[in-house]
RNA sequence: GCGCCGGUAGCUCAAUUGGCAGAGCAUUUGACUCUUAAUCAACAGGUUCCGGGUUCAAGUCCCGGCCGGCGCACCA
């Protein structure tokens, strides 16, 4: 769609005059869904004797001489409007309403002879006119470009959009309420960061005029949240946007919503238990079941979720025992055999993680915890007591995609400094996603971080599953799109 | 960033091997006292995404660009 949609001006000149003068308020008294419930008992042709004031958009209009029917929708549902020349003030203009116009209607709740619950219009007001139409009244709007750039129209034109975004909202609410219920305090941490940290990702860069400094949009709130734990807030969470300057795909948006939470005195086992309870609980809150059909295939959220060490899964996939202690050469060879390019800077740990991703990740359909991540790919996680090349870390996978990431937090400032230095060496070697040394964070650890476990959940990914969406953009109200160049 | 596919009326979509750009809905006008995507009749509506090229002739073929979808890469 290179051209913006052209205006379709309706000529209101005859019925309403121009400019149309619309009211500043409407004394609304009832919603469609409530009317359907309250007056469901009315028989065909029966009148309730009750007057209501409803408002919404005209979705359909059937004008038939000296009577007319309209279908009006509000945020809760639809109801029919029934107008009669003999009963309706300004009937002539009612028949000239346009699809998409906002109207406020006063009238009696009745059921028509043909059995449709209706508001018999005594009088109505045009609250706002629709100067553009909302697409084909049967087919809606199909053009992705128009749907994503103008979600306000898509929401009226396509039921699936309304349902998907409503489910996302319900999910966010459920996650938040479950965190509150578990004693987590909701906090907010900076989005403008002097150092991008807490994850491995290329950041967005911006600039503050008065401070004369560059800032990075956060790629994760992780380190700030742990500093709050150092400060004595033992359970904190943040539900907010993070920004990663990476490719866009059906499963990646440059800005996305992350839930991160930290609990003092927990380890990663405790956090896995909480993750199950949180995610499965939220799914049940929204959908009322633990068995969800996603893209035609069932996902079973029933707890406990499977728990599998990364090395075990990778070994099964390649048909031989591999681990973080397998020689780098052998792991690299296995990767090369699978057409994965091995970078010189990768050690055995990174190779094992890559091997797992290449062979196992996309097959993990039901929610599954993968545990025991190599230290090399986990610069903020605490070492596993039985094997110091591994960490007490897990990621959960769902429908073949990463859903969450959690671990026992590294609390030793000296170890943390060395991990950062390893990352800095990767950055120097050209890895623009490696972490940078965050001296303030090391200083925070020197004040003492108690044993703590942390979790990050990709909210958009979970919303996709709950909305049965194959594309992330279906659960983001306004996904990031390339701006249309004006010179075209 | 690379590859494949797509962009035609406000919306949804047609258009044969290159041969007069169409339909439904919406809009406008008219008919109609129980409709349900109401129905019926009529009018109007086009830079076929943009810019070049080939050709007697381009929506269609070629080149470049814009935007989108999907795949790959990237995303621990």
């Amino acid at each position: 769609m290179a051209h913006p949609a052209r205006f379709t001006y309706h000529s209101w000149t005859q019925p309403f005059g121009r400019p149309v003068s619309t009211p500043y308020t409407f004394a609304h008294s009832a919603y469609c869904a409530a009317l359907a419930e309250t007056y469901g008992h009315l028989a065909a042709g029966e009148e309730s004797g009750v007057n209501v004031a409803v408002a919404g958009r005209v979705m359909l209009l059937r004008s038939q001489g000296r009577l007319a029917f309209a279908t009006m929708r509000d945020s809760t549902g639809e109801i029919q409007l029934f107008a009669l020349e003999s009963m309706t003030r300004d009937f002539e203009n009612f028949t000239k309403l346009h699809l998409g116009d906002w109207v406020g209607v006063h009238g009696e709740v009745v059921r028509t002879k043909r059995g449709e619950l209706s508001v018999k219009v005594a009088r109505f007001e045009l609250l706002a006119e629709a100067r553009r139409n909302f697409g084909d009244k049967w087919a809606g709007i199909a053009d992705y470009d128009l749907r994503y750039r103008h979600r306000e129209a898509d929401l009226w034109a396509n039921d699936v959009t309304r349902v998907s975004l409503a489910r996302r909202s319900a999910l966010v609410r459920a996650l938040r309420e479950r965190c509150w219920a578990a004693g987590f305090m909701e906090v907010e941490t900076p989005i403008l960061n002097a150092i991008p940290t807490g994850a491995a990702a290329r950041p967005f860069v911006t600039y503050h005029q008065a401070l004369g400094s560059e800032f990075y949009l956060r790629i994760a709130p992780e380190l700030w949240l742990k500093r709050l734990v150092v400060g004595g807030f033992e359970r904190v969470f943040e539900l907010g946007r993070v920004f990663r300057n990476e490719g866009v795909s059906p499963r990646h948006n440059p800005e996305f919503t992350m839930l991160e939470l930290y609990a003092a005195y927990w380890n990663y086992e405790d956090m896995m238990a909480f993750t199950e309870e949180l995610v499965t609980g939220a799914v049940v809150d929204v959908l009322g079941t633990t068995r969800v059909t996603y893209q035609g295939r069932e996902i079973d959220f029933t707890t406990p979720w499977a728990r599998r060490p990364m090395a075990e899964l990778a070994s099964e996939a390649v048909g031989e025992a591999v681990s973080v202690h397998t020689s780098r050469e052998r792991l690299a060879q296995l990767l090369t055999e699978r057409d994965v390019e091995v970078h010189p800077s990768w050690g055995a740990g990174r190779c094992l993680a890559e091997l797992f991703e290449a062979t196992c990740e996309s097959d993990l359909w039901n929610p599954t915890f993968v545990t025991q991540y190599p230290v090399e790919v986990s610069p903020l996680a605490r070492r596993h007591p039985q094997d110091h090349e591994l960490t007490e870390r897990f990621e959960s996978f769902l429908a073949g995609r990463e859903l969450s990431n959690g671990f026992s937090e590294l609390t030793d400032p000296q170890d943390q400094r060395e991990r950062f230095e390893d990352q800095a060496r990767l950055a120097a070697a050209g890895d623009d996603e490696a972490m940078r040394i965050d001296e303030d964070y090391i200083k925070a650890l020197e004040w003492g971080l108690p044993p703590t476990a942390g979790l990050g959940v990709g909210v958009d990914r979970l919303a996709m599953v709950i909305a049965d969406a194959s594309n992330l953009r279906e659960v983001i109200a306004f996904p990031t799109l390339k701006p249309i160049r004006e010179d075209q």
Side-chain angles (χ1 to χ4, degrees):
Chain A
M1 192 206 71
H3 285 304
R6 294 179 181 80
F7 268 107
T8 306
Y9 283 103
H10 305 315
S11 45
W12 282 99
T13 330
Q14 292 303 315
F16 288 99
R18 218 181 230 297
V20 173
S21 175
T22 52
Y24 279 45
T25 62
F26 180 73
H28 180 273
S29 77
Y31 286 104
C32 294
L35 290 178
E37 188 156 335
T38 309
Y39 298 98
H41 64 276
L42 284 183
E46 193 179 349
E47 303 191 333
S48 69
V50 176
N51 283 294
V52 296
V54 293
R57 271 198 205 270
V58 175
M59 303 306 292
L60 298 168
L61 184 63
R62 301 173 288 279
S63 174
Q64 195 181 316
R66 287 194 285 281
L67 77 169
F69 302 91
T71 302
M72 188 203 78
R73 185 194 292 168
D74 67 15
S75 60
T76 67
E78 295 184 343
I79 196 160
Q80 178 167 272
L81 306 177
F82 174 35
L84 281 162
E85 187 181 45
S86 57
M87 302 282 297
T88 303
R89 187 198 295 178
D90 205 14
F91 174 81
E92 177 73 8
N93 280 336
F94 186 88
T95 67
K96 290 178 176 166
L97 284 168
H98 292 146
L99 303 192
D101 284 344
W102 290 93
V103 288
V105 173
H106 300 267
E108 182 186 356
V109 182
V110 302
R111 193 177 290 281
T112 59
K113 289 177 193 168
R114 293 292 176 88
E116 188 75 20
L117 188 69
S118 306
V119 173
K120 189 160 78 179
V121 183
R123 58 194 167 90
F124 74 98
E125 296 173 74
L126 179 67
L127 301 178
E129 62 174 327
R131 297 189 184 190
R132 293 178 189 268
N133 73 29
F134 284 88
D136 189 278
K137 68 185 180 186
W138 189 243
I141 298 173
D143 181 39
Y144 290 108
D145 208 42
L146 182 55
R147 291 184 54 223
Y148 297 156
R149 289 185 199 278
H150 289 285
R151 192 70 94 177
E152 63 280 13
D154 184 30
L155 280 165
W156 289 100
N158 295 311
D159 290 345
V160 65
T161 302
R162 214 165 45 254
V163 171
S164 296
L165 293 179
R167 282 188 187 172
R168 183 207 175 93
S169 178
L171 171 67
V172 167
R173 173 180 178 159
L175 291 171
R176 196 170 249 134
E177 287 181 342
R178 283 178 174 275
C179 287
W180 290 335
F184 287 86
M185 177 171 117
E186 184 164 8
V187 298
E188 294 168 285
T189 63
I191 287 172
L192 295 177
N193 284 204
I195 296 174
T197 188
R202 185 181 307 140
F204 285 92
V205 188
T206 188
Y207 182 78
H208 188 283
Q209 293 295 340
L211 297 179
S213 303
E214 279 195 341
F215 281 89
Y216 301 92
L217 302 187
R218 69 175 173 197
I219 56 176
E222 172 150 355
L223 303 193
W224 295 107
L225 292 172
K226 280 185 272 189
R227 287 168 69 172
L228 291 175
V229 178
V230 170
F233 291 155
E234 293 169 11
R235 291 186 190 183
V236 294
F237 80 97
E238 180 163 13
L239 182 53
R241 212 74 57 82
V242 298
F243 307 85
R244 298 188 182 178
N245 203 341
E246 288 158 356
V248 178
S249 86
R251 291 161 295 281
H252 299 267
N253 197 60
E255 53 178 301
F256 60 99
T257 300
M258 179 97 93
L259 169 65
E260 280 206 15
L261 56 90
Y262 292 85
Y265 321 126
W266 288 8
N267 69 3
Y268 80 132
E269 297 278 358
D270 300 318
M271 191 55 88
M272 277 191 276
F274 183 73
T275 303
E276 290 172 331
E277 182 189 325
L278 175 69
V279 172
T280 296
V283 168
V284 171
D285 290 343
V286 177
L287 298 177
T289 175
T290 56
R291 291 172 179 272
V292 177
T293 300
Y294 181 64
Q295 303 292 291
R297 197 174 154 192
E298 188 182 271
I299 295 176
D300 186 355
F301 280 88
T302 305
T303 56
W305 300 353
R307 286 164 167 71
R308 303 295 305 279
M310 176 188 280
E312 194 177 297
L313 285 169
S315 298
E316 282 174 17
V318 301
E320 69 180 66
V322 292
S323 78
V324 74
H325 300 292
T326 304
S327 74
R328 181 192 181 278
E329 288 65 33
R330 180 58 189 149
L331 292 170
Q333 190 180 2
L334 290 167
L335 283 168
T336 305
E337 284 168 10
R338 287 163 179 78
D339 297 322
V340 178
E341 194 184 340
V342 180
H343 293 266
S345 63
W346 294 1
R350 177 71 183 266
C351 287
L352 179 68
E354 295 284 342
L355 193 58
F356 159 74
E357 274 172 42
T359 58
C360 309
E361 180 170 336
S362 60
D363 296 328
L364 296 172
W365 185 258
N366 283 328
T368 304
F369 289 116
V370 177
T371 62
Q372 267 73 291
Y373 276 62
V375 170
E376 185 181 347
V377 296
S378 312
L380 301 167
R382 199 165 194 175
R383 289 178 199 270
H384 198 281
Q386 267 84 58
D387 185 338
H388 280 217
E389 286 305 307
L390 296 176
T391 57
E392 284 200 344
R393 176 180 173 193
F394 66 87
E395 288 192 347
S396 70
F397 292 85
L398 172 64
R401 301 191 280 264
E402 182 188 340
L403 171 69
S404 73
N405 178 21
F407 37 87
S408 301
E409 301 296 336
L410 178 57
T411 56
D412 177 348
Q414 183 56 37
D415 194 357
Q416 185 64 75
R417 176 179 295 283
E418 288 163 13
R419 306 272 194 101
F420 277 146
E421 285 168 353
D422 288 341
Q423 290 289 311
R425 274 189 286 277
L426 290 176
D431 184 345
D432 52 12
E433 285 161 4
M435 286 187 203
R436 305 206 352 215
I437 298 174
D438 186 334
E439 291 292 349
D440 280 339
Y441 180 63
I442 292 170
K443 191 182 286 189
L445 292 183
E446 288 168 352
W447 265 299
L449 176 67
T452 297
L455 173 72
V457 179
V459 174
D460 311 79
R461 293 273 177 87
L462 186 54
M464 278 177 79
V465 171
I466 285 177
D468 194 18
S470 62
N471 186 324
L472 193 65
R473 291 182 272 269
E474 296 296 338
V475 295
I476 297 174
F478 297 101
T480 306
L481 294 179
K482 196 161 177 170
I484 296 175
R485 288 170 50 160
E486 290 300 322
D487 58 344
Q488 283 299 315

